[in-house]
Amino acid sequence: MAMSNRMIGKLSREGRIAEARRLLDKMPDPDVIAWTSVISVHINRGMVREARELFDRVDAKKNVVTWTAMINGYLRRTDDVSEAEKLFNEMPYKNEVTWNTMIDGYVRNGLIDSALSLFEKMPVKNVVSWNTIINALGQCGRIEEARKLFDCMPKRDVISWTSMISTLSKNGRIDEARVLFDSMPERNVVSWNAMITGYAQNLKLEEGFDLFERMPERDVPSWNAMITGFVQNGDLERAQKLFNDMPQKNVISWTSMITGYVQDGQSEEALRKFSKMQAADGVKPNQGTFVSILGACSDLAGLSEGHQIHQVICKTVHQNDAFVVSALINMYSKCGDLGTARKIFNYGFSSQRDLVSWNGMIAAYAHHGCGDEAIGLFKEMRNLDIQPNDVTYVGLLAACSHAGLIDEGLKYFNELTRENSIQIRQEHYACLVDLCGRAGKLKEAFEFIQKLPTEPSANVWGALLAGCNVHGNTDIGKLAAMKILEVEPENAGMYMSLSSIYASTGKWRESAKLRMEMKDKGLKKQPGCSWIDVGNKVHVFVVGDESYSESNFIFPLLYDLMQKWRLDV
């Protein structure tokens, strides 16, 4: 018997289910150890139905471990809470592990009140029971209840303290978390990391850095917590210094820096970081890395770089990830390759296409002014019973606006207002105002803004100002510009737009006055910039810049072209 049990245990550990099952059937009278081993291996392999068939056999021998394994199988492998509950209630004897398994199952399925009710009925609670329920309450924002239970705990371990500190920090109660941290009888590196992460999340970086420097020992998450904090606060210089000093880096370290450079508009530096990351030993990009670096390619319109990264993605498990595919669609779209973007949408993700990819493709059509294609995709999406969300409508309305499809845009905006499940955001209002502005319906757009239920954002007023710029409406344009400058007094672009409106209607004095105002305030508009990729080299051109190496050749050629154009006209 003992030898057979050892053999079944070995086969089970190796995942050789069929052989373990055959050996069990050959045994004249297998004991509970053999039965539990074979049932458990079926559960671990996701074969819960087959495990239950064995469990229900009349000759099956079961103890508390067998019952608990079966309950755990339903909770973790099938999310069948009702069947797990039924088994739990039928159990002849339950131990602490059984109770904790059921409580944890409720928590995993979001049934916090059921977990709390079972916790209160538990005859003997151990520290795991307390930690599970306290952490669950904290995760769903029930901080007072979590703190009350923490204070009632008869015995706490380092996990109890760390969990409570993390919960308080995530909910903005960082000072209270620090009091707990200072009261801890013992700390480990996870406790220190929780406190440092809390300071970073609450943008108290100096306090976090002070704690970081006092740590008795640091691991990679310690460094990452501080680097991420500095990145989120826009302090890339300090983040880079810490990154350079790290004795060991993982994918989170690299991705944090790449993301930071992308968010700061330093996309070229982000690409350099990605290249160095690929050369680092043992570091593989994850979903976040690919999404960020594809964003850098989008910002730079770097099609060749984006294509190379796409080839890397195709060799990883992330090639079918919804967010990565959406980032690929966005990258090809921003780089002008709408055909490849659509191919990826049609074929690269057809087996598990979700709302993120639909939204990405609609946004791509909007970016290129392909209103009919965006509407066609939206209709196809609805025919497949995929429910749009707020992001879908932003893309759809933007596509209608950019393509001049006024009636269609108004129709879809009215549809959105009737959709009670979707909250209308400022972006939707801005799209509608832009739609009316492009059609010259500036008065209607202004009246619409005045009736909005919330305070219009700068984007909404900006859409109106753009329409005024196109149609030369100085009265409404001035009102829109003044509203934007109330919120963003240093916005040089608004001064330039209003100045252009004045100039286009012959009001040169007002236009010059605005430009003088800009000069007095030291405001400068970022000059226009464009670039092309020729012969594997990127050539950058800035408005008014004559320092480019080929300027002596380009400007005479442009002059000749303009002369010929005038003659043709």
Side-chain angles (χ1 to χ4, degrees), residues 274 278 285 290 305-319:
F274 181 74
Q278 287 182 293
F290 286 128
E305 292 84 355
H307 185 64
Q308 289 170 21
I309 291 165
H310 187 186
Q311 290 178 321
V312 174
I313 291 168
C314 288
K315 298 172 185 175
T316 71
V317 296
H318 303 292
Q319 61 182 315

Side-chain angles (χ1 to χ4, degrees), residues 485-498:
L485 291 173
E486 285 177 13
V487 183
E488 302 173 355
E490 306 300 311
N491 191 325
M494 293 306 102
Y495 283 96
M496 292 297 294
S497 294
L498 190 54

Side-chain angles (χ1 to χ4, degrees), residues 207-219:
E207 292 93 331
F209 190 63
D210 176 67
L211 211 60
F212 174 79
E213 290 192 310
R214 289 167 46 197
M215 285 185 75
E217 61 172 318
R218 300 170 188 153
D219 59 7

Side-chain angles (χ1 to χ4, degrees), residues 267 271 292-303 305-306 309 331 335:
S267 294
L271 282 168
S292 288
I293 202 61
L294 287 170
C297 296
S298 299
D299 292 342
L300 294 169
L303 182 59
E305 292 84 355
I309 291 165
M331 183 274 295
C335 293

Side-chain angles (χ1 to χ4, degrees), residues 199-244:
Y199 276 128
Q201 289 170 340
N202 288 273
L203 298 182
K204 293 195 170 188
L205 295 172
E206 295 308 322
E207 292 93 331
F209 190 63
D210 176 67
L211 211 60
F212 174 79
E213 290 192 310
R214 289 167 46 197
M215 285 185 75
E217 61 172 318
R218 300 170 188 153
D219 59 7
V220 174
S222 317
W223 292 85
N224 286 345
M226 274 321 307
I227 289 170
T228 303
F230 284 129
V231 165
Q232 290 173 344
N233 199 46
D235 194 343
L236 281 175
E237 187 177 340
R238 292 179 76 180
Q240 183 64 61
K241 185 178 184 308
L242 278 180
F243 181 83
N244 293 340

Side-chain angles (χ1 to χ4, degrees), residues 7-8 11 14-25:
M7 194 61 200
I8 285 177
L11 292 170
E14 293 172 356
R16 295 155 69 180
I17 300 176
E19 293 175 63
R21 177 72 178 268
R22 282 196 295 271
L23 183 55
L24 178 77
D25 291 336

Side-chain angles (χ1 to χ4, degrees), residues 227 231 236 239-240 243 253-261 273:
I227 289 170
V231 165
L236 281 175
Q240 183 64 61
F243 181 83
S253 323
W254 287 95
T255 302
S256 294
M257 291 306 306
I258 290 168
T259 303
Y261 281 115
K273 270 280 180 288

